Each structure stands twice: as structure tokens, then as C-alpha cells.
Amino acid sequence: DLEDDEFLYRLVGVTIHRGTANHGHYFSLISTCRGENEPTEPEKWMDPTTDYWRTFNDDEVTFCGSSETHRRARRCGMS
């Protein structure tokens, strides 16, 4: 049996809500380098030159580098 500290998790996506409990807007940040094209070295998982993230916001999809993803996650209290 494996212990919890033996598992290594990789973040695939984040859903963010902007607004209040009564109204607002959701959008997602999703890593597009997971699965088959994923780097195997842990130090490359959040390397902005190899870890490509996209912002999915309604009908607009834009590039969002991992440093931008970290900044947004910190602003949302996720790290």
C-alpha cells in the first residue's frame, strides 16, 4: 500500500469565479500539456517554456503562461 506522501499530483485545471454569491462569471485555466505530451521531469511541469496553459472564457481561448497561472492562483488564495 502506498502512503499519501508517495503520491504526486499534477494540476490540470482551475475554475475561477469572479463576482458575488448572487451573480458573477466563471472561467477556467487549463493545462494543455497533460497526458501524452506531458514532460516526465517534475521540474518541467511548471516551466513556462514547456507547460502551456490556456484561459477558457466563454467563446475566447487565450494563452496563459504558467507564471500568469501562478499569479492568478495566488490572487484567488489557492497557493
Side-chain angles (χ1 to χ4, degrees):
D1 290 324
L2 294 174
E3 298 295 322
D4 283 344
D5 60 355
E6 294 179 87
F7 289 98
L8 186 59
Y9 297 93
R10 301 175 200 164
L11 184 64
V12 174
V14 178
T15 300
I16 299 171
H17 177 263
R18 293 260 172 108
T20 67
N22 294 327
H23 71 282
H25 180 73
Y26 287 93
F27 63 98
S28 295
L29 305 176
I30 300 174
S31 173
T32 56
C33 284
R34 294 297 180 247
E36 202 171 292
N37 298 324
E38 183 172 23
T40 55
E41 304 86 7
E43 62 275 1
K44 293 201 176 225
W45 292 339
M46 292 303 285
D47 178 348
T49 63
T50 59
D51 193 25
Y52 303 106
W53 287 73
R54 301 286 185 267
T55 300
F56 292 82
N57 193 350
D58 292 335
D59 62 349
E60 183 177 68
V61 178
T62 56
F63 175 77
C64 179
S66 62
S67 58
E68 172 70 7
T69 304
H70 283 168
R71 186 184 65 74
R72 287 184 182 191
R74 279 192 303 276
R75 250 186 25 211
C76 294
M78 295 170 38
S79 63

Coordinates of all heavy atoms in Angstrom, one line a residue:
D1 N 0.8 -1.2 0.0 CA 0.0 0.0 0.0 C 0.9 1.3 0.0 O 1.9 1.3 0.7 CB -0.9 0.0 1.2 CG -2.0 -1.0 1.2 OD1 -2.5 -1.3 0.1 OD2 -2.3 -1.6 2.2
L2 N 0.5 2.2 -0.7 CA 1.2 3.5 -0.8 C 0.6 4.5 0.2 O -0.6 4.5 0.5 CB 1.0 4.1 -2.2 CG 1.7 3.4 -3.4 CD1 1.3 4.0 -4.7 CD2 3.2 3.3 -3.2
E3 N 1.5 5.2 0.8 CA 1.2 6.3 1.7 C 0.8 7.5 1.0 O 1.2 7.7 -0.2 CB 2.3 6.6 2.7 CG 2.7 5.4 3.6 CD 1.6 5.0 4.5 OE1 0.9 5.9 5.1 OE2 1.4 3.8 4.7
D4 N 0.0 8.4 1.6 CA -0.4 9.7 0.9 C 0.8 10.5 0.4 O 0.8 11.1 -0.7 CB -1.2 10.6 1.8 CG -2.6 10.0 1.9 OD1 -3.1 9.2 1.1 OD2 -3.3 10.5 2.9
D5 N 1.9 10.5 1.1 CA 3.1 11.3 0.7 C 3.8 10.7 -0.4 O 4.8 11.3 -0.9 CB 4.0 11.7 1.9 CG 4.6 10.4 2.6 OD1 4.2 9.3 2.2 OD2 5.4 10.6 3.5
E6 N 3.4 9.5 -0.9 CA 4.1 8.9 -2.0 C 3.4 9.2 -3.3 O 3.9 8.9 -4.4 CB 4.1 7.4 -1.8 CG 5.0 6.9 -0.6 CD 4.9 5.4 -0.5 OE1 5.7 4.7 -1.1 OE2 4.1 4.9 0.3
F7 N 2.3 9.9 -3.3 CA 1.6 10.3 -4.5 C 2.0 11.6 -4.9 O 2.2 12.5 -4.1 CB 0.0 10.3 -4.3 CG -0.5 8.9 -4.1 CD1 -0.8 8.4 -2.8 CD2 -0.8 8.1 -5.2 CE1 -1.3 7.1 -2.7 CE2 -1.3 6.8 -5.0 CZ -1.6 6.3 -3.8
L8 N 2.1 11.8 -6.2 CA 2.5 13.1 -6.8 C 1.3 13.5 -7.7 O 1.0 12.8 -8.6 CB 3.8 13.0 -7.5 CG 4.4 14.3 -8.1 CD1 4.7 15.2 -6.9 CD2 5.7 13.9 -8.8
Y9 N 0.7 14.7 -7.4 CA -0.4 15.1 -8.2 C 0.0 16.3 -9.1 O 0.9 17.1 -8.7 CB -1.5 15.6 -7.3 CG -2.1 14.5 -6.4 CD1 -1.6 14.2 -5.1 CD2 -3.1 13.7 -6.9 CE1 -2.1 13.2 -4.4 CE2 -3.6 12.6 -6.2 CZ -3.1 12.4 -4.9 OH -3.6 11.4 -4.2
R10 N -0.5 16.4 -10.2 CA -0.2 17.4 -11.2 C -1.5 18.2 -11.5 O -2.6 17.6 -11.8 CB 0.3 16.9 -12.5 CG 1.5 16.1 -12.3 CD 2.0 15.4 -13.5 NE 2.9 14.3 -13.2 CZ 3.2 13.4 -14.0 NH1 2.7 13.3 -15.2 NH2 4.0 12.4 -13.6
L11 N -1.5 19.5 -11.3 CA -2.6 20.3 -11.5 C -3.0 20.4 -13.0 O -2.1 20.6 -13.9 CB -2.3 21.8 -11.1 CG -3.5 22.7 -11.2 CD1 -4.6 22.3 -10.2 CD2 -3.0 24.1 -10.8
V12 N -4.2 20.1 -13.3 CA -4.7 20.1 -14.7 C -5.5 21.3 -15.1 O -5.4 21.9 -16.1 CB -5.5 18.8 -15.0 CG1 -6.1 18.8 -16.4 CG2 -4.7 17.6 -14.8
G13 N -6.3 21.8 -14.1 CA -7.1 23.0 -14.4 C -7.6 23.6 -13.1 O -7.6 23.0 -12.1
V14 N -8.1 24.9 -13.3 CA -8.6 25.6 -12.2 C -9.8 26.4 -12.8 O -9.8 26.9 -13.9 CB -7.6 26.7 -11.7 CG1 -8.2 27.5 -10.6 CG2 -6.3 26.0 -11.3
T15 N -10.9 26.3 -12.0 CA -12.1 27.1 -12.3 C -12.1 28.3 -11.4 O -12.0 28.1 -10.2 CB -13.4 26.3 -12.2 OG1 -13.3 25.2 -13.1 CG2 -14.6 27.1 -12.5
I16 N -12.3 29.5 -11.9 CA -12.3 30.7 -11.1 C -13.7 31.4 -11.3 O -14.2 31.5 -12.4 CB -11.2 31.7 -11.6 CG1 -9.8 31.0 -11.4 CG2 -11.2 33.0 -10.9 CD1 -8.7 31.7 -12.0
H17 N -14.2 31.9 -10.1 CA -15.4 32.7 -10.2 C -15.1 34.1 -9.8 O -14.4 34.4 -8.8 CB -16.4 32.1 -9.1 CG -17.7 32.9 -9.0 ND1 -17.9 33.9 -8.1 CD2 -18.8 32.9 -9.8 CE1 -19.0 34.5 -8.2 NE2 -19.6 33.9 -9.3
R18 N -15.6 35.1 -10.6 CA -15.4 36.5 -10.3 C -16.8 37.0 -10.0 O -17.7 36.8 -10.9 CB -14.8 37.2 -11.5 CG -13.4 36.9 -11.7 CD -12.5 38.0 -11.2 NE -11.1 37.6 -11.3 CZ -10.2 38.1 -12.1 NH1 -10.6 39.0 -12.9 NH2 -9.0 37.7 -12.1
G19 N -17.0 37.7 -8.9 CA -18.3 38.3 -8.6 C -18.7 38.0 -7.2 O -17.9 37.8 -6.3
T20 N -20.0 38.0 -7.0 CA -20.5 37.7 -5.6 C -21.3 36.4 -5.6 O -21.4 35.7 -6.7 CB -21.5 38.9 -5.2 OG1 -22.6 38.8 -6.1 CG2 -20.8 40.2 -5.3
A21 N -21.9 36.1 -4.5 CA -22.7 34.8 -4.4 C -23.9 34.9 -5.2 O -24.5 33.9 -5.7 CB -23.0 34.5 -2.9
N22 N -24.4 36.2 -5.5 CA -25.7 36.4 -6.2 C -25.5 36.4 -7.7 O -26.4 36.2 -8.5 CB -26.4 37.6 -5.7 CG -26.8 37.5 -4.3 OD1 -27.2 36.4 -3.9 ND2 -26.8 38.6 -3.6
H23 N -24.3 36.9 -8.1 CA -24.0 36.9 -9.6 C -22.5 37.0 -9.8 O -21.7 37.2 -8.9 CB -24.7 38.2 -10.2 CG -24.1 39.5 -9.8 ND1 -24.3 40.1 -8.6 CD2 -23.2 40.2 -10.5 CE1 -23.6 41.2 -8.6 NE2 -22.9 41.3 -9.7
G24 N -22.1 36.7 -11.0 CA -20.7 36.6 -11.3 C -20.5 35.9 -12.6 O -21.4 35.7 -13.4
H25 N -19.2 35.5 -12.8 CA -18.8 34.9 -14.0 C -17.7 33.8 -13.7 O -16.8 34.1 -12.9 CB -18.2 35.9 -15.0 CG -17.8 35.4 -16.3 ND1 -18.7 35.0 -17.3 CD2 -16.5 35.2 -16.8 CE1 -18.0 34.5 -18.3 NE2 -16.7 34.7 -18.0
Y26 N -17.8 32.7 -14.4 CA -16.8 31.6 -14.2 C -15.9 31.6 -15.5 O -16.4 31.8 -16.6 CB -17.5 30.3 -14.0 CG -18.1 30.0 -12.7 CD1 -19.5 30.3 -12.5 CD2 -17.4 29.5 -11.6 CE1 -20.1 30.1 -11.3 CE2 -18.0 29.3 -10.4 CZ -19.3 29.6 -10.2 OH -19.9 29.4 -9.0
F27 N -14.7 31.3 -15.3 CA -13.8 30.9 -16.4 C -12.8 29.9 -15.9 O -12.6 29.7 -14.7 CB -13.1 32.2 -17.0 CG -12.2 32.9 -16.1 CD1 -10.8 32.7 -16.1 CD2 -12.7 33.8 -15.2 CE1 -10.0 33.4 -15.3 CE2 -11.9 34.5 -14.3 CZ -10.5 34.3 -14.4
S28 N -12.1 29.3 -16.8 CA -11.2 28.2 -16.4 C -9.8 28.4 -17.0 O -9.6 29.0 -18.1 CB -11.7 26.9 -17.0 OG -12.9 26.5 -16.4
L29 N -8.8 28.0 -16.2 CA -7.4 27.9 -16.7 C -7.1 26.4 -16.8 O -7.3 25.7 -15.8 CB -6.4 28.6 -15.7 CG -6.7 30.0 -15.3 CD1 -5.8 30.5 -14.2 CD2 -6.6 30.9 -16.5
I30 N -6.7 26.0 -18.0 CA -6.5 24.5 -18.2 C -5.1 24.3 -18.8 O -4.7 25.0 -19.8 CB -7.6 24.0 -19.0 CG1 -8.9 24.1 -18.3 CG2 -7.3 22.5 -19.3 CD1 -10.1 23.7 -19.2
S31 N -4.4 23.4 -18.3 CA -3.1 23.0 -18.9 C -3.4 22.1 -20.1 O -4.1 21.1 -20.0 CB -2.2 22.2 -17.9 OG -1.1 21.7 -18.5
T32 N -2.8 22.5 -21.2 CA -3.0 21.7 -22.4 C -1.8 20.7 -22.7 O -1.8 20.2 -23.8 CB -3.2 22.7 -23.6 OG1 -2.1 23.5 -23.7 CG2 -4.5 23.5 -23.5
C33 N -0.9 20.6 -21.8 CA 0.2 19.6 -21.9 C 0.1 18.5 -20.9 O 1.1 18.1 -20.3 CB 1.5 20.4 -21.7 SG 2.0 21.4 -23.1
R34 N -1.0 18.0 -20.7 CA -1.2 16.8 -19.8 C -1.4 15.6 -20.7 O -2.0 15.7 -21.8 CB -2.3 17.1 -18.8 CG -2.1 18.2 -17.9 CD -0.9 17.9 -17.0 NE -0.6 18.9 -16.1 CZ 0.5 19.7 -16.1 NH1 1.4 19.5 -17.1 NH2 0.7 20.6 -15.2
G35 N -1.0 14.5 -20.2 CA -1.3 13.2 -20.9 C -0.1 12.9 -21.8 O 1.1 12.9 -21.4
E36 N -0.3 12.6 -23.0 CA 0.7 12.1 -24.0 C 1.8 13.1 -24.2 O 3.0 12.7 -24.3 CB 0.0 11.9 -25.3 CG 0.7 10.9 -26.2 CD -0.1 10.6 -27.4 OE1 -1.1 9.9 -27.2 OE2 0.3 11.0 -28.5
N37 N 1.6 14.4 -24.2 CA 2.7 15.4 -24.5 C 3.3 15.9 -23.2 O 4.1 16.9 -23.2 CB 2.1 16.5 -25.3 CG 1.6 16.1 -26.6 OD1 2.2 15.2 -27.2 ND2 0.5 16.7 -27.1
E38 N 3.0 15.3 -22.1 CA 3.4 15.9 -20.8 C 4.9 15.6 -20.5 O 5.3 14.4 -20.7 CB 2.6 15.2 -19.7 CG 2.8 15.7 -18.3 CD 1.8 15.1 -17.3 OE1 1.2 14.1 -17.6 OE2 1.6 15.8 -16.3
P39 N 5.7 16.6 -20.0 CA 7.0 16.3 -19.7 C 7.1 15.3 -18.5 O 6.2 15.4 -17.6 CB 7.6 17.6 -19.3 CG 6.5 18.6 -19.3 CD 5.3 17.9 -19.9
T40 N 8.1 14.4 -18.5 CA 8.2 13.5 -17.4 C 9.0 14.0 -16.2 O 8.9 13.4 -15.1 CB 8.8 12.1 -17.9 OG1 10.1 12.4 -18.5 CG2 7.9 11.5 -18.9
E41 N 9.8 15.0 -16.4 CA 10.6 15.5 -15.3 C 9.8 16.5 -14.5 O 9.3 17.5 -15.0 CB 11.9 16.2 -15.9 CG 12.7 15.4 -16.8 CD 12.3 15.4 -18.2 OE1 11.4 16.2 -18.6 OE2 12.8 14.6 -19.0
P42 N 9.7 16.3 -13.2 CA 8.9 17.2 -12.3 C 9.2 18.7 -12.4 O 8.4 19.5 -12.4 CB 9.1 16.7 -10.9 CG 9.5 15.3 -11.1 CD 10.3 15.2 -12.4
E43 N 10.5 19.0 -12.6 CA 10.9 20.4 -12.7 C 10.4 21.1 -13.9 O 10.4 22.3 -14.0 CB 12.5 20.5 -12.6 CG 13.2 19.9 -13.7 CD 13.5 18.4 -13.4 OE1 13.1 17.8 -12.4 OE2 14.2 17.8 -14.3
K44 N 10.0 20.3 -14.9 CA 9.5 20.9 -16.2 C 7.9 21.1 -16.2 O 7.4 21.7 -17.1 CB 9.9 20.1 -17.4 CG 11.3 20.1 -17.6 CD 11.7 19.7 -19.0 CE 13.2 19.8 -19.2 NZ 13.5 20.5 -20.4
W45 N 7.3 20.6 -15.1 CA 5.8 20.7 -15.1 C 5.3 22.1 -15.1 O 4.3 22.4 -15.6 CB 5.2 19.9 -13.9 CG 5.4 18.4 -14.0 CD1 5.6 17.7 -15.2 CD2 5.4 17.5 -13.0 NE1 5.8 16.4 -14.9 CE2 5.6 16.2 -13.6 CE3 5.2 17.5 -11.7 CZ2 5.6 15.0 -12.8 CZ3 5.2 16.4 -10.9 CH2 5.4 15.1 -11.5
M46 N 6.0 23.0 -14.4 CA 5.6 24.4 -14.3 C 6.6 25.3 -15.0 O 6.7 26.5 -14.7 CB 5.3 24.8 -12.9 CG 4.2 24.1 -12.2 SD 2.6 24.3 -13.1 CE 2.2 26.0 -12.7
D47 N 7.4 24.8 -15.9 CA 8.3 25.6 -16.7 C 7.6 26.3 -17.7 O 6.9 25.7 -18.6 CB 9.4 24.6 -17.3 CG 10.4 25.3 -18.1 OD1 10.2 26.5 -18.4 OD2 11.4 24.7 -18.5
P48 N 7.6 27.6 -17.8 CA 6.8 28.4 -18.8 C 7.2 28.1 -20.2 O 6.4 28.4 -21.1 CB 7.0 29.8 -18.4 CG 8.1 29.9 -17.4 CD 8.3 28.5 -16.9
T49 N 8.3 27.5 -20.4 CA 8.7 27.1 -21.8 C 8.2 25.8 -22.3 O 8.2 25.5 -23.4 CB 10.3 27.1 -22.0 OG1 10.8 26.1 -21.1 CG2 10.8 28.5 -21.6
T50 N 7.7 25.0 -21.3 CA 7.2 23.7 -21.7 C 5.7 23.4 -21.2 O 5.1 22.4 -21.6 CB 8.1 22.5 -21.1 OG1 8.2 22.6 -19.7 CG2 9.5 22.6 -21.7
D51 N 5.3 24.2 -20.2 CA 3.9 23.9 -19.6 C 3.0 25.0 -20.1 O 3.0 26.1 -19.7 CB 4.0 24.0 -18.1 CG 2.8 23.4 -17.4 OD1 2.1 22.6 -18.1 OD2 2.5 23.8 -16.3
Y52 N 2.2 24.6 -21.1 CA 1.3 25.6 -21.8 C -0.1 25.5 -21.1 O -0.7 24.5 -21.0 CB 1.2 25.3 -23.2 CG 2.5 25.3 -23.9 CD1 3.1 24.1 -24.3 CD2 3.2 26.5 -24.1 CE1 4.4 24.1 -24.9 CE2 4.5 26.5 -24.7 CZ 5.0 25.3 -25.1 OH 6.3 25.3 -25.6
W53 N -0.6 26.7 -20.7 CA -1.9 26.9 -20.1 C -2.7 27.8 -21.0 O -2.2 28.6 -21.7 CB -1.8 27.5 -18.8 CG -1.3 26.5 -17.7 CD1 0.0 26.1 -17.6 CD2 -2.0 25.9 -16.7 NE1 0.1 25.2 -16.6 CE2 -1.1 25.1 -16.0 CE3 -3.4 25.9 -16.3 CZ2 -1.5 24.3 -14.9 CZ3 -3.8 25.1 -15.2 CH2 -2.8 24.3 -14.6
R54 N -4.1 27.5 -21.0 CA -5.0 28.4 -21.8 C -6.1 28.9 -20.8 O -6.4 28.2 -19.9 CB -5.7 27.6 -22.9 CG -4.7 27.0 -23.9 CD -4.2 28.0 -24.8 NE -3.4 27.5 -25.9 CZ -2.1 27.3 -25.9 NH1 -1.4 27.7 -24.8 NH2 -1.4 26.8 -26.9
T55 N -6.5 30.1 -21.1 CA -7.7 30.6 -20.4 C -8.9 30.4 -21.3 O -8.9 30.8 -22.4 CB -7.5 32.1 -20.1 OG1 -6.4 32.3 -19.3 CG2 -8.7 32.7 -19.4
F56 N -9.9 29.7 -20.8 CA -11.2 29.5 -21.5 C -12.2 30.3 -20.8 O -12.6 30.1 -19.7 CB -11.5 28.0 -21.4 CG -10.6 27.1 -22.1 CD1 -9.4 26.7 -21.5 CD2 -10.9 26.6 -23.4 CE1 -8.6 25.8 -22.2 CE2 -10.1 25.8 -24.1 CZ -8.9 25.4 -23.5
N57 N -12.6 31.4 -21.6 CA -13.5 32.4 -21.1 C -14.6 32.6 -22.1 O -14.4 33.3 -23.1 CB -12.8 33.7 -20.7 CG -13.6 34.6 -19.9 OD1 -14.8 34.4 -19.7 ND2 -12.9 35.7 -19.4
D58 N -15.8 32.0 -21.9 CA -16.9 32.0 -22.9 C -16.3 31.5 -24.2 O -15.8 30.4 -24.3 CB -17.5 33.3 -23.0 CG -18.3 33.7 -21.7 OD1 -18.7 32.8 -21.0 OD2 -18.4 34.9 -21.4
D59 N -16.5 32.3 -25.3 CA -16.0 31.9 -26.6 C -14.6 32.3 -26.9 O -14.1 32.1 -28.0 CB -17.0 32.4 -27.7 CG -17.0 33.9 -27.8 OD1 -16.5 34.6 -26.8 OD2 -17.6 34.4 -28.7
E60 N -13.9 32.8 -25.9 CA -12.5 33.3 -26.1 C -11.5 32.3 -25.4 O -11.7 32.0 -24.2 CB -12.3 34.7 -25.6 CG -11.0 35.3 -25.8 CD -10.9 36.7 -25.3 OE1 -10.9 36.9 -24.0 OE2 -10.7 37.6 -26.1
V61 N -10.5 31.8 -26.2 CA -9.5 31.0 -25.6 C -8.2 31.7 -25.9 O -7.8 32.0 -27.0 CB -9.5 29.6 -26.3 CG1 -8.3 28.7 -25.7 CG2 -10.8 28.9 -26.1
T62 N -7.4 32.0 -24.8 CA -6.1 32.7 -24.9 C -5.0 31.9 -24.2 O -5.3 31.1 -23.3 CB -6.2 34.1 -24.4 OG1 -6.7 34.0 -23.0 CG2 -7.2 35.0 -25.1
F63 N -3.8 32.2 -24.6 CA -2.6 31.6 -24.0 C -2.4 32.3 -22.6 O -2.6 33.5 -22.4 CB -1.4 31.9 -24.8 CG -0.1 31.4 -24.2 CD1 0.2 30.1 -24.1 CD2 0.7 32.3 -23.6 CE1 1.4 29.6 -23.5 CE2 1.9 31.9 -23.0 CZ 2.2 30.6 -22.9
C64 N -2.1 31.5 -21.6 CA -1.8 31.9 -20.3 C -0.6 31.2 -19.8 O -0.7 30.0 -19.5 CB -3.0 31.7 -19.4 SG -2.8 32.2 -17.7
G65 N 0.6 31.8 -19.7 CA 1.8 31.1 -19.3 C 1.7 30.6 -17.8 O 0.8 31.1 -17.1
S66 N 2.5 29.7 -17.4 CA 2.4 29.2 -16.0 C 2.7 30.2 -15.0 O 2.1 30.2 -13.9 CB 3.3 28.0 -15.9 OG 4.7 28.3 -16.0
S67 N 3.5 31.2 -15.3 CA 3.8 32.3 -14.3 C 2.5 33.1 -14.1 O 2.2 33.5 -13.0 CB 4.9 33.2 -14.7 OG 4.7 33.8 -16.0
E68 N 1.7 33.3 -15.2 CA 0.4 34.0 -15.1 C -0.6 33.2 -14.3 O -1.3 33.7 -13.5 CB -0.1 34.3 -16.5 CG -1.5 34.9 -16.5 CD -1.7 36.3 -15.9 OE1 -0.6 36.9 -15.6 OE2 -2.8 36.8 -15.8
T69 N -0.5 31.9 -14.5 CA -1.4 30.9 -13.8 C -1.1 31.0 -12.3 O -2.0 31.1 -11.5 CB -1.2 29.5 -14.3 OG1 -1.5 29.5 -15.7 CG2 -2.2 28.5 -13.6
H70 N 0.2 31.0 -11.9 CA 0.6 31.1 -10.5 C 0.1 32.4 -9.9 O -0.4 32.4 -8.8 CB 2.1 31.0 -10.4 CG 2.6 29.6 -10.5 ND1 4.0 29.4 -10.7 CD2 2.0 28.4 -10.5 CE1 4.2 28.1 -10.8 NE2 3.0 27.5 -10.7
R71 N 0.3 33.5 -10.7 CA -0.2 34.8 -10.2 C -1.7 34.8 -9.9 O -2.1 35.3 -8.8 CB 0.2 35.9 -11.2 CG -0.1 37.3 -10.7 CD 0.2 38.4 -11.7 NE -0.7 38.3 -12.9 CZ -2.0 38.7 -12.9 NH1 -2.5 39.1 -11.8 NH2 -2.7 38.5 -14.0
R72 N -2.4 34.3 -10.8 CA -3.9 34.3 -10.7 C -4.3 33.3 -9.5 O -5.2 33.6 -8.8 CB -4.6 33.8 -12.0 CG -4.6 34.8 -13.0 CD -5.3 34.3 -14.2 NE -5.3 35.3 -15.3 CZ -6.0 35.2 -16.4 NH1 -6.9 34.2 -16.5 NH2 -5.9 36.1 -17.3
A73 N -3.6 32.2 -9.4 CA -3.9 31.3 -8.3 C -3.6 31.9 -6.9 O -4.4 31.8 -6.0 CB -3.1 30.0 -8.4
R74 N -2.5 32.7 -6.8 CA -2.2 33.4 -5.6 C -3.3 34.4 -5.3 O -3.7 34.6 -4.1 CB -0.8 34.0 -5.7 CG 0.3 33.1 -5.4 CD 1.6 33.8 -5.2 NE 2.0 34.7 -6.3 CZ 2.6 34.3 -7.4 NH1 3.0 33.1 -7.6 NH2 2.9 35.2 -8.4
R75 N -3.7 35.2 -6.3 CA -4.7 36.2 -6.1 C -6.0 35.5 -5.6 O -6.8 36.2 -4.9 CB -5.0 36.9 -7.4 CG -4.5 38.3 -7.3 CD -4.8 39.2 -8.5 NE -6.0 38.8 -9.3 CZ -6.1 39.0 -10.6 NH1 -5.2 39.6 -11.2 NH2 -7.2 38.7 -11.2
C76 N -6.3 34.3 -6.0 CA -7.5 33.6 -5.6 C -7.4 32.8 -4.3 O -8.2 32.1 -4.0 CB -8.0 32.7 -6.7 SG -8.5 33.6 -8.2
G77 N -6.2 32.9 -3.7 CA -6.0 32.2 -2.4 C -5.7 30.7 -2.6 O -6.0 30.0 -1.7
M78 N -5.2 30.3 -3.7 CA -5.0 28.9 -4.0 C -3.6 28.4 -3.7 O -3.3 27.3 -3.9 CB -5.4 28.6 -5.4 CG -6.9 28.8 -5.7 SD -7.3 28.7 -7.4 CE -6.3 27.3 -8.0
S79 N -2.7 29.3 -3.4 CA -1.3 28.8 -3.1 C -0.7 29.7 -2.0 O -1.2 30.6 -1.6 CB -0.5 28.9 -4.4 OG -0.3 30.2 -4.8

